[in-house]
Amino acid sequence: MAMVKPCSRYTPRGDCPPLPAGQEFDYSLNSPLEPNAPLCKHTVPYSTPVETWTAGQQVTVKFDSVNGAAHGGGHAQFSVSYDGGKTFAVVHEVLKHIFFNGPSSSNTPEVLSYTFKLPSDLPSSKKVVFAWSWVNAIGNREFYMNCADVEVKGTSSSYSGKQMVVANINGYPTIPAFNGNYDTGLDMYKNAKNVTVKPTD
């Protein structure tokens, strides 16, 4: 599974911006992060934002399942970083059944688009890193993450929200296979500490 709207960093899709200088297209954006990979996988941002959003507006995030698998769903978060991808604060969650309408053992997704309202207190920045992250319900214990460079227009000086959960890669906890129990790992999401993010540009 891969995020295609907004454009993920280094996507080969023709309707997305050109690559940053010296970088190569990533033809495996639907793969999980390697155990020692940095968050976002790709750390050099695009030179210009791929989309411009306004705090409080509805946004739609779309996914592509080509050569990907939905692994029976799982826990997903949508988060923002204002410090280049070091600190991520959650703006929306789809827990238990991402890509599905309920419990499933399928690799074929039922849902490929999510629309939600951005928090009204997001501050302005042309260098916001927007992230989708996912812990799969079924299969090898993996952590999926795509990032996009967006601009946000807002009036607040900072935003506070739950810290994005990271799991199943080196240095972070492991969330085991759900085995039909979709509450697996939920305590990490519910008990995540709050973090504050603010513009540096």
mmCIF file of all heavy atoms in Angstrom, residues 22-73:
data_model
loop_
_atom_site.group_PDB
_atom_site.id
_atom_site.type_symbol
_atom_site.label_atom_id
_atom_site.label_comp_id
_atom_site.label_asym_id
_atom_site.label_seq_id
_atom_site.Cartn_x
_atom_site.Cartn_y
_atom_site.Cartn_z
ATOM 1 N N GLY A 22 19.729 14.959 -7.402
ATOM 2 C CA GLY A 22 20.543 13.870 -6.902
ATOM 3 C C GLY A 22 19.788 12.681 -6.355
ATOM 4 O O GLY A 22 20.398 11.691 -5.930
ATOM 5 N N GLN A 23 18.450 12.720 -6.369
ATOM 6 C CA GLN A 23 17.646 11.622 -5.832
ATOM 7 C C GLN A 23 17.097 10.756 -6.964
ATOM 8 O O GLN A 23 17.083 11.163 -8.124
ATOM 9 C CB GLN A 23 16.507 12.168 -4.973
ATOM 10 C CG GLN A 23 16.967 13.107 -3.866
ATOM 11 C CD GLN A 23 17.986 12.489 -2.951
ATOM 12 O OE1 GLN A 23 17.838 11.358 -2.499
ATOM 13 N NE2 GLN A 23 19.056 13.236 -2.668
ATOM 14 N N GLU A 24 16.641 9.556 -6.615
ATOM 15 C CA GLU A 24 16.123 8.612 -7.591
ATOM 16 C C GLU A 24 14.688 8.242 -7.244
ATOM 17 O O GLU A 24 14.293 8.253 -6.080
ATOM 18 C CB GLU A 24 16.985 7.344 -7.628
ATOM 19 C CG GLU A 24 18.424 7.586 -8.060
ATOM 20 C CD GLU A 24 19.235 6.306 -8.087
ATOM 21 O OE1 GLU A 24 18.715 5.271 -7.609
ATOM 22 O OE2 GLU A 24 20.388 6.337 -8.562
ATOM 23 N N PHE A 25 13.921 7.902 -8.273
ATOM 24 C CA PHE A 25 12.556 7.446 -8.042
ATOM 25 C C PHE A 25 12.553 6.203 -7.156
ATOM 26 O O PHE A 25 13.448 5.359 -7.240
ATOM 27 C CB PHE A 25 11.855 7.108 -9.362
ATOM 28 C CG PHE A 25 11.487 8.313 -10.181
ATOM 29 C CD1 PHE A 25 11.918 8.423 -11.493
ATOM 30 C CD2 PHE A 25 10.711 9.325 -9.655
ATOM 31 C CE1 PHE A 25 11.574 9.524 -12.265
ATOM 32 C CE2 PHE A 25 10.361 10.433 -10.413
ATOM 33 C CZ PHE A 25 10.802 10.538 -11.717
ATOM 34 N N ASP A 26 11.532 6.107 -6.317
ATOM 35 C CA ASP A 26 11.355 4.942 -5.454
ATOM 36 C C ASP A 26 10.199 4.107 -6.005
ATOM 37 O O ASP A 26 9.046 4.524 -5.949
ATOM 38 C CB ASP A 26 11.054 5.387 -4.024
ATOM 39 C CG ASP A 26 10.981 4.221 -3.047
ATOM 40 O OD1 ASP A 26 10.870 3.064 -3.493
ATOM 41 O OD2 ASP A 26 11.031 4.473 -1.832
ATOM 42 N N TYR A 27 10.535 2.945 -6.521
ATOM 43 C CA TYR A 27 9.517 2.064 -7.094
ATOM 44 C C TYR A 27 8.988 1.065 -6.068
ATOM 45 O O TYR A 27 8.260 0.144 -6.421
ATOM 46 C CB TYR A 27 10.088 1.335 -8.310
ATOM 47 C CG TYR A 27 10.382 2.265 -9.473
ATOM 48 C CD1 TYR A 27 11.645 2.830 -9.649
ATOM 49 C CD2 TYR A 27 9.376 2.610 -10.379
ATOM 50 C CE1 TYR A 27 11.907 3.699 -10.702
ATOM 51 C CE2 TYR A 27 9.627 3.477 -11.434
ATOM 52 C CZ TYR A 27 10.892 4.014 -11.587
ATOM 53 O OH TYR A 27 11.144 4.887 -12.629
ATOM 54 N N SER A 28 9.351 1.244 -4.816
ATOM 55 C CA SER A 28 8.885 0.332 -3.761
ATOM 56 C C SER A 28 8.274 1.110 -2.599
ATOM 57 O O SER A 28 8.460 0.743 -1.436
ATOM 58 C CB SER A 28 10.030 -0.546 -3.263
ATOM 59 O OG SER A 28 11.085 0.252 -2.736
ATOM 60 N N LEU A 29 7.548 2.180 -2.919
ATOM 61 C CA LEU A 29 6.913 2.970 -1.872
ATOM 62 C C LEU A 29 5.860 2.180 -1.104
ATOM 63 O O LEU A 29 5.469 2.560 0.001
ATOM 64 C CB LEU A 29 6.279 4.229 -2.476
ATOM 65 C CG LEU A 29 7.255 5.343 -2.871
ATOM 66 C CD1 LEU A 29 6.525 6.421 -3.669
ATOM 67 C CD2 LEU A 29 7.927 5.945 -1.652
ATOM 68 N N ASN A 30 5.374 1.081 -1.699
ATOM 69 C CA ASN A 30 4.369 0.262 -1.018
ATOM 70 C C ASN A 30 4.993 -0.765 -0.077
ATOM 71 O O ASN A 30 4.282 -1.566 0.522
ATOM 72 C CB ASN A 30 3.471 -0.434 -2.044
ATOM 73 C CG ASN A 30 4.259 -1.256 -3.049
ATOM 74 O OD1 ASN A 30 5.460 -1.457 -2.892
ATOM 75 N ND2 ASN A 30 3.595 -1.734 -4.090
ATOM 76 N N SER A 31 6.310 -0.754 0.056
ATOM 77 C CA SER A 31 6.994 -1.685 0.951
ATOM 78 C C SER A 31 7.171 -1.070 2.335
ATOM 79 O O SER A 31 7.222 0.153 2.479
ATOM 80 C CB SER A 31 8.366 -2.053 0.381
ATOM 81 O OG SER A 31 8.243 -2.697 -0.871
ATOM 82 N N PRO A 32 7.310 -1.926 3.368
ATOM 83 C CA PRO A 32 7.536 -1.384 4.716
ATOM 84 C C PRO A 32 8.932 -0.779 4.835
ATOM 85 O O PRO A 32 9.821 -1.036 4.007
ATOM 86 C CB PRO A 32 7.400 -2.620 5.604
ATOM 87 C CG PRO A 32 7.757 -3.770 4.713
ATOM 88 C CD PRO A 32 7.237 -3.397 3.356
ATOM 89 N N LEU A 33 9.126 0.028 5.876
ATOM 90 C CA LEU A 33 10.459 0.548 6.159
ATOM 91 C C LEU A 33 11.393 -0.600 6.504
ATOM 92 O O LEU A 33 11.006 -1.557 7.190
ATOM 93 C CB LEU A 33 10.419 1.526 7.333
ATOM 94 C CG LEU A 33 9.726 2.874 7.144
ATOM 95 C CD1 LEU A 33 9.965 3.731 8.387
ATOM 96 C CD2 LEU A 33 10.210 3.594 5.907
ATOM 97 N N GLU A 34 12.622 -0.501 6.039
ATOM 98 C CA GLU A 34 13.645 -1.444 6.479
ATOM 99 C C GLU A 34 13.908 -1.214 7.968
ATOM 100 O O GLU A 34 13.696 -0.112 8.490
ATOM 101 C CB GLU A 34 14.918 -1.259 5.667
ATOM 102 C CG GLU A 34 14.784 -1.625 4.195
ATOM 103 C CD GLU A 34 14.525 -3.100 3.972
ATOM 104 O OE1 GLU A 34 15.007 -3.907 4.803
ATOM 105 O OE2 GLU A 34 13.832 -3.447 2.991
ATOM 106 N N PRO A 35 14.414 -2.241 8.680
ATOM 107 C CA PRO A 35 14.563 -2.118 10.142
ATOM 108 C C PRO A 35 15.371 -0.917 10.605
ATOM 109 O O PRO A 35 15.107 -0.359 11.671
ATOM 110 C CB PRO A 35 15.248 -3.433 10.528
ATOM 111 C CG PRO A 35 14.811 -4.402 9.466
ATOM 112 C CD PRO A 35 14.717 -3.600 8.202
ATOM 113 N N ASN A 36 16.372 -0.500 9.817
ATOM 114 C CA ASN A 36 17.218 0.614 10.230
ATOM 115 C C ASN A 36 16.980 1.880 9.414
ATOM 116 O O ASN A 36 17.774 2.826 9.485
ATOM 117 C CB ASN A 36 18.694 0.215 10.122
ATOM 118 C CG ASN A 36 19.078 -0.838 11.148
ATOM 119 O OD1 ASN A 36 18.781 -0.711 12.327
ATOM 120 N ND2 ASN A 36 19.719 -1.906 10.690
ATOM 121 N N ALA A 37 15.909 1.909 8.638
ATOM 122 C CA ALA A 37 15.633 3.065 7.792
ATOM 123 C C ALA A 37 15.208 4.265 8.641
ATOM 124 O O ALA A 37 14.592 4.115 9.696
ATOM 125 C CB ALA A 37 14.543 2.740 6.784
ATOM 126 N N PRO A 38 15.498 5.479 8.177
ATOM 127 C CA PRO A 38 15.000 6.661 8.884
ATOM 128 C C PRO A 38 13.494 6.808 8.681
ATOM 129 O O PRO A 38 12.941 6.271 7.708
ATOM 130 C CB PRO A 38 15.754 7.812 8.212
ATOM 131 C CG PRO A 38 16.030 7.318 6.824
ATOM 132 C CD PRO A 38 16.286 5.839 6.973
ATOM 133 N N LEU A 39 12.842 7.505 9.575
ATOM 134 C CA LEU A 39 11.432 7.808 9.369
ATOM 135 C C LEU A 39 11.274 8.544 8.041
ATOM 136 O O LEU A 39 12.106 9.361 7.658
ATOM 137 C CB LEU A 39 10.896 8.653 10.522
ATOM 138 C CG LEU A 39 10.872 7.979 11.897
ATOM 139 C CD1 LEU A 39 10.282 8.921 12.936
ATOM 140 C CD2 LEU A 39 10.106 6.665 11.869
ATOM 141 N N CYS A 40 10.207 8.263 7.350
ATOM 142 C CA CYS A 40 9.900 8.782 6.012
ATOM 143 C C CYS A 40 10.669 8.047 4.908
ATOM 144 O O CYS A 40 10.353 8.191 3.729
ATOM 145 C CB CYS A 40 10.171 10.278 5.868
ATOM 146 S SG CYS A 40 8.948 11.318 6.682
ATOM 147 N N LYS A 41 11.721 7.301 5.270
ATOM 148 C CA LYS A 41 12.574 6.582 4.313
ATOM 149 C C LYS A 41 13.436 7.534 3.507
ATOM 150 O O LYS A 41 14.626 7.333 3.361
ATOM 151 C CB LYS A 41 11.735 5.714 3.376
ATOM 152 C CG LYS A 41 12.547 4.824 2.436
ATOM 153 C CD LYS A 41 11.623 3.961 1.576
ATOM 154 C CE LYS A 41 12.393 3.041 0.657
ATOM 155 N NZ LYS A 41 11.469 2.229 -0.180
ATOM 156 N N HIS A 42 12.820 8.588 2.952
ATOM 157 C CA HIS A 42 13.546 9.590 2.173
ATOM 158 C C HIS A 42 13.555 10.901 2.957
ATOM 159 O O HIS A 42 12.496 11.417 3.323
ATOM 160 C CB HIS A 42 12.883 9.778 0.811
ATOM 161 C CG HIS A 42 12.803 8.513 0.023
ATOM 162 N ND1 HIS A 42 13.915 7.837 -0.421
ATOM 163 C CD2 HIS A 42 11.737 7.774 -0.389
ATOM 164 C CE1 HIS A 42 13.550 6.749 -1.087
ATOM 165 N NE2 HIS A 42 12.232 6.690 -1.065
ATOM 166 N N THR A 43 14.727 11.451 3.178
ATOM 167 C CA THR A 43 14.847 12.594 4.089
ATOM 168 C C THR A 43 15.101 13.924 3.384
ATOM 169 O O THR A 43 15.070 14.970 4.032
ATOM 170 C CB THR A 43 15.982 12.340 5.102
ATOM 171 O OG1 THR A 43 17.210 12.100 4.392
ATOM 172 C CG2 THR A 43 15.657 11.123 5.970
ATOM 173 N N VAL A 44 15.352 13.898 2.071
ATOM 174 C CA VAL A 44 15.543 15.150 1.337
ATOM 175 C C VAL A 44 14.190 15.595 0.791
ATOM 176 O O VAL A 44 13.581 14.888 -0.022
ATOM 177 C CB VAL A 44 16.551 14.984 0.181
ATOM 178 C CG1 VAL A 44 16.688 16.301 -0.602
ATOM 179 C CG2 VAL A 44 17.907 14.535 0.715
ATOM 180 N N PRO A 45 13.682 16.745 1.199
ATOM 181 C CA PRO A 45 12.338 17.166 0.778
ATOM 182 C C PRO A 45 12.327 17.689 -0.656
ATOM 183 O O PRO A 45 13.372 18.031 -1.227
ATOM 184 C CB PRO A 45 12.005 18.292 1.754
ATOM 185 C CG PRO A 45 13.339 18.862 2.117
ATOM 186 C CD PRO A 45 14.296 17.703 2.137
ATOM 187 N N TYR A 46 11.121 17.748 -1.222
ATOM 188 C CA TYR A 46 10.948 18.449 -2.488
ATOM 189 C C TYR A 46 11.225 19.941 -2.279
ATOM 190 O O TYR A 46 11.072 20.461 -1.174
ATOM 191 C CB TYR A 46 9.521 18.269 -3.004
ATOM 192 C CG TYR A 46 9.254 16.923 -3.641
ATOM 193 C CD1 TYR A 46 8.350 16.031 -3.062
ATOM 194 C CD2 TYR A 46 9.870 16.563 -4.825
ATOM 195 C CE1 TYR A 46 8.095 14.806 -3.646
ATOM 196 C CE2 TYR A 46 9.611 15.341 -5.426
ATOM 197 C CZ TYR A 46 8.725 14.447 -4.838
ATOM 198 O OH TYR A 46 8.476 13.237 -5.418
ATOM 199 N N SER A 47 11.602 20.620 -3.342
ATOM 200 C CA SER A 47 11.937 22.044 -3.229
ATOM 201 C C SER A 47 10.700 22.913 -3.051
ATOM 202 O O SER A 47 10.778 24.013 -2.497
ATOM 203 C CB SER A 47 12.722 22.501 -4.456
ATOM 204 O OG SER A 47 11.973 22.275 -5.647
ATOM 205 N N THR A 48 9.557 22.426 -3.510
ATOM 206 C CA THR A 48 8.295 23.138 -3.338
ATOM 207 C C THR A 48 7.232 22.180 -2.827
ATOM 208 O O THR A 48 7.295 20.971 -3.107
ATOM 209 C CB THR A 48 7.813 23.771 -4.656
ATOM 210 O OG1 THR A 48 7.678 22.743 -5.647
ATOM 211 C CG2 THR A 48 8.803 24.821 -5.152
ATOM 212 N N PRO A 49 6.240 22.665 -2.097
ATOM 213 C CA PRO A 49 5.192 21.783 -1.573
ATOM 214 C C PRO A 49 4.386 21.125 -2.695
ATOM 215 O O PRO A 49 4.172 21.728 -3.755
ATOM 216 C CB PRO A 49 4.305 22.724 -0.752
ATOM 217 C CG PRO A 49 5.143 23.938 -0.496
ATOM 218 C CD PRO A 49 6.047 24.068 -1.676
ATOM 219 N N VAL A 50 3.924 19.902 -2.450
ATOM 220 C CA VAL A 50 3.105 19.204 -3.452
ATOM 221 C C VAL A 50 1.641 19.596 -3.342
ATOM 222 O O VAL A 50 0.868 19.402 -4.278
ATOM 223 C CB VAL A 50 3.269 17.673 -3.333
ATOM 224 C CG1 VAL A 50 4.713 17.276 -3.571
ATOM 225 C CG2 VAL A 50 2.780 17.147 -1.984
ATOM 226 N N GLU A 51 1.238 20.140 -2.184
ATOM 227 C CA GLU A 51 -0.121 20.653 -2.003
ATOM 228 C C GLU A 51 -0.088 21.785 -0.980
ATOM 229 O O GLU A 51 0.826 21.860 -0.152
ATOM 230 C CB GLU A 51 -1.087 19.555 -1.517
ATOM 231 C CG GLU A 51 -1.380 18.478 -2.556
ATOM 232 C CD GLU A 51 -2.643 17.692 -2.250
ATOM 233 O OE1 GLU A 51 -3.529 18.228 -1.550
ATOM 234 O OE2 GLU A 51 -2.740 16.552 -2.711
ATOM 235 N N THR A 52 -1.091 22.641 -1.045
ATOM 236 C CA THR A 52 -1.252 23.711 -0.062
ATOM 237 C C THR A 52 -2.583 23.520 0.648
ATOM 238 O O THR A 52 -3.630 23.456 0.002
ATOM 239 C CB THR A 52 -1.202 25.093 -0.737
ATOM 240 O OG1 THR A 52 0.083 25.272 -1.346
ATOM 241 C CG2 THR A 52 -1.409 26.198 0.293
ATOM 242 N N TRP A 53 -2.527 23.404 1.955
ATOM 243 C CA TRP A 53 -3.712 23.187 2.778
ATOM 244 C C TRP A 53 -3.898 24.362 3.737
ATOM 245 O O TRP A 53 -2.951 25.071 4.063
ATOM 246 C CB TRP A 53 -3.574 21.906 3.598
ATOM 247 C CG TRP A 53 -3.548 20.634 2.786
ATOM 248 C CD1 TRP A 53 -4.016 20.464 1.513
ATOM 249 C CD2 TRP A 53 -3.034 19.367 3.199
ATOM 250 N NE1 TRP A 53 -3.834 19.153 1.109
ATOM 251 C CE2 TRP A 53 -3.229 18.465 2.125
ATOM 252 C CE3 TRP A 53 -2.433 18.893 4.363
ATOM 253 C CZ2 TRP A 53 -2.851 17.126 2.189
ATOM 254 C CZ3 TRP A 53 -2.043 17.563 4.432
ATOM 255 C CH2 TRP A 53 -2.263 16.698 3.361
ATOM 256 N N THR A 54 -5.129 24.514 4.218
ATOM 257 C CA THR A 54 -5.449 25.522 5.217
ATOM 258 C C THR A 54 -5.902 24.824 6.488
ATOM 259 O O THR A 54 -6.702 23.875 6.428
ATOM 260 C CB THR A 54 -6.564 26.462 4.712
ATOM 261 O OG1 THR A 54 -6.111 27.118 3.510
ATOM 262 C CG2 THR A 54 -6.902 27.513 5.758
ATOM 263 N N ALA A 55 -5.386 25.264 7.614
ATOM 264 C CA ALA A 55 -5.797 24.689 8.896
ATOM 265 C C ALA A 55 -7.316 24.682 9.004
ATOM 266 O O ALA A 55 -7.973 25.669 8.675
ATOM 267 C CB ALA A 55 -5.179 25.482 10.037
ATOM 268 N N GLY A 56 -7.878 23.559 9.424
ATOM 269 C CA GLY A 56 -9.317 23.434 9.588
ATOM 270 C C GLY A 56 -10.058 22.929 8.366
ATOM 271 O O GLY A 56 -11.255 22.629 8.458
ATOM 272 N N GLN A 57 -9.385 22.822 7.218
ATOM 273 C CA GLN A 57 -10.080 22.376 6.015
ATOM 274 C C GLN A 57 -10.164 20.852 5.941
ATOM 275 O O GLN A 57 -9.432 20.121 6.634
ATOM 276 C CB GLN A 57 -9.387 22.887 4.755
ATOM 277 C CG GLN A 57 -8.165 22.070 4.331
ATOM 278 C CD GLN A 57 -7.668 22.401 2.936
ATOM 279 O OE1 GLN A 57 -6.960 23.373 2.750
ATOM 280 N NE2 GLN A 57 -8.010 21.566 1.966
ATOM 281 N N GLN A 58 -11.057 20.360 5.102
ATOM 282 C CA GLN A 58 -11.139 18.935 4.818
ATOM 283 C C GLN A 58 -10.068 18.578 3.793
ATOM 284 O O GLN A 58 -9.881 19.289 2.808
ATOM 285 C CB GLN A 58 -12.519 18.591 4.243
ATOM 286 C CG GLN A 58 -13.677 18.855 5.169
ATOM 287 C CD GLN A 58 -14.045 17.653 6.026
ATOM 288 O OE1 GLN A 58 -13.369 16.635 6.031
ATOM 289 N NE2 GLN A 58 -15.131 17.771 6.763
ATOM 290 N N VAL A 59 -9.356 17.489 4.031
ATOM 291 C CA VAL A 59 -8.375 16.992 3.068
ATOM 292 C C VAL A 59 -8.682 15.531 2.771
ATOM 293 O O VAL A 59 -9.261 14.820 3.603
ATOM 294 C CB VAL A 59 -6.929 17.137 3.576
ATOM 295 C CG1 VAL A 59 -6.573 18.594 3.790
ATOM 296 C CG2 VAL A 59 -6.700 16.339 4.856
ATOM 297 N N THR A 60 -8.308 15.109 1.592
ATOM 298 C CA THR A 60 -8.508 13.721 1.190
ATOM 299 C C THR A 60 -7.158 13.085 0.903
ATOM 300 O O THR A 60 -6.353 13.636 0.131
ATOM 301 C CB THR A 60 -9.405 13.625 -0.053
ATOM 302 O OG1 THR A 60 -10.692 14.152 0.261
ATOM 303 C CG2 THR A 60 -9.562 12.172 -0.509
ATOM 304 N N VAL A 61 -6.908 11.949 1.530
ATOM 305 C CA VAL A 61 -5.679 11.184 1.330
ATOM 306 C C VAL A 61 -6.056 9.901 0.591
ATOM 307 O O VAL A 61 -6.970 9.187 1.000
ATOM 308 C CB VAL A 61 -4.994 10.861 2.667
ATOM 309 C CG1 VAL A 61 -3.717 10.056 2.444
ATOM 310 C CG2 VAL A 61 -4.688 12.149 3.430
ATOM 311 N N LYS A 62 -5.344 9.650 -0.519
ATOM 312 C CA LYS A 62 -5.666 8.496 -1.352
ATOM 313 C C LYS A 62 -4.497 7.515 -1.406
ATOM 314 O O LYS A 62 -3.338 7.909 -1.290
ATOM 315 C CB LYS A 62 -6.040 8.954 -2.768
ATOM 316 C CG LYS A 62 -7.299 9.807 -2.814
ATOM 317 C CD LYS A 62 -7.655 10.208 -4.245
ATOM 318 C CE LYS A 62 -8.927 11.033 -4.281
ATOM 319 N NZ LYS A 62 -9.294 11.429 -5.663
ATOM 320 N N PHE A 63 -4.846 6.250 -1.623
ATOM 321 C CA PHE A 63 -3.866 5.176 -1.632
ATOM 322 C C PHE A 63 -3.966 4.355 -2.904
ATOM 323 O O PHE A 63 -5.011 4.305 -3.551
ATOM 324 C CB PHE A 63 -4.057 4.263 -0.412
ATOM 325 C CG PHE A 63 -3.831 4.961 0.891
ATOM 326 C CD1 PHE A 63 -4.876 5.604 1.535
ATOM 327 C CD2 PHE A 63 -2.577 5.003 1.455
ATOM 328 C CE1 PHE A 63 -4.670 6.273 2.724
ATOM 329 C CE2 PHE A 63 -2.356 5.675 2.644
ATOM 330 C CZ PHE A 63 -3.408 6.308 3.290
ATOM 331 N N ASP A 64 -2.856 3.706 -3.242
ATOM 332 C CA ASP A 64 -2.771 2.835 -4.411
ATOM 333 C C ASP A 64 -2.402 1.444 -3.918
ATOM 334 O O ASP A 64 -1.458 1.290 -3.129
ATOM 335 C CB ASP A 64 -1.702 3.363 -5.366
ATOM 336 C CG ASP A 64 -1.728 2.663 -6.710
ATOM 337 O OD1 ASP A 64 -2.332 1.578 -6.807
ATOM 338 O OD2 ASP A 64 -1.140 3.196 -7.660
ATOM 339 N N SER A 65 -3.127 0.452 -4.376
ATOM 340 C CA SER A 65 -2.869 -0.911 -3.927
ATOM 341 C C SER A 65 -2.087 -1.725 -4.951
ATOM 342 O O SER A 65 -1.884 -2.930 -4.759
ATOM 343 C CB SER A 65 -4.192 -1.624 -3.621
ATOM 344 O OG SER A 65 -4.992 -1.707 -4.792
ATOM 345 N N VAL A 66 -1.634 -1.102 -6.051
ATOM 346 C CA VAL A 66 -0.903 -1.835 -7.075
ATOM 347 C C VAL A 66 0.367 -2.431 -6.467
ATOM 348 O O VAL A 66 1.178 -1.725 -5.870
ATOM 349 C CB VAL A 66 -0.552 -0.920 -8.263
ATOM 350 C CG1 VAL A 66 0.301 -1.664 -9.270
ATOM 351 C CG2 VAL A 66 -1.820 -0.401 -8.920
ATOM 352 N N ASN A 67 0.517 -3.728 -6.616
ATOM 353 C CA ASN A 67 1.666 -4.460 -6.071
ATOM 354 C C ASN A 67 1.779 -4.338 -4.554
ATOM 355 O O ASN A 67 2.851 -4.570 -3.983
ATOM 356 C CB ASN A 67 2.981 -3.985 -6.715
ATOM 357 C CG ASN A 67 3.001 -4.230 -8.214
ATOM 358 O OD1 ASN A 67 2.550 -5.265 -8.687
ATOM 359 N ND2 ASN A 67 3.516 -3.267 -8.971
ATOM 360 N N GLY A 68 0.690 -3.965 -3.910
ATOM 361 C CA GLY A 68 0.680 -3.851 -2.454
ATOM 362 C C GLY A 68 -0.327 -4.810 -1.853
ATOM 363 O O GLY A 68 -1.103 -5.456 -2.558
ATOM 364 N N ALA A 69 -0.314 -4.919 -0.543
ATOM 365 C CA ALA A 69 -1.233 -5.812 0.160
ATOM 366 C C ALA A 69 -1.741 -5.104 1.402
ATOM 367 O O ALA A 69 -0.987 -4.408 2.091
ATOM 368 C CB ALA A 69 -0.538 -7.113 0.545
ATOM 369 N N ALA A 70 -3.023 -5.290 1.698
ATOM 370 C CA ALA A 70 -3.650 -4.579 2.812
ATOM 371 C C ALA A 70 -3.527 -5.311 4.146
ATOM 372 O O ALA A 70 -3.903 -4.768 5.181
ATOM 373 C CB ALA A 70 -5.130 -4.321 2.504
ATOM 374 N N HIS A 71 -3.037 -6.528 4.135
ATOM 375 C CA HIS A 71 -2.688 -7.264 5.358
ATOM 376 C C HIS A 71 -3.770 -7.228 6.428
ATOM 377 O O HIS A 71 -3.481 -7.092 7.623
ATOM 378 C CB HIS A 71 -1.385 -6.726 5.948
ATOM 379 C CG HIS A 71 -0.182 -6.956 5.084
ATOM 380 N ND1 HIS A 71 0.288 -8.218 4.768
ATOM 381 C CD2 HIS A 71 0.649 -6.082 4.455
ATOM 382 C CE1 HIS A 71 1.360 -8.117 3.989
ATOM 383 N NE2 HIS A 71 1.596 -6.822 3.774
ATOM 384 N N GLY A 72 -5.028 -7.308 6.001
ATOM 385 C CA GLY A 72 -6.121 -7.386 6.965
ATOM 386 C C GLY A 72 -6.352 -6.127 7.772
ATOM 387 O O GLY A 72 -7.044 -6.151 8.788
ATOM 388 N N GLY A 73 -5.789 -5.013 7.327
ATOM 389 C CA GLY A 73 -5.996 -3.751 8.039
ATOM 390 C C GLY A 73 -4.931 -3.496 9.085
ATOM 391 O O GLY A 73 -3.763 -3.825 8.910
#
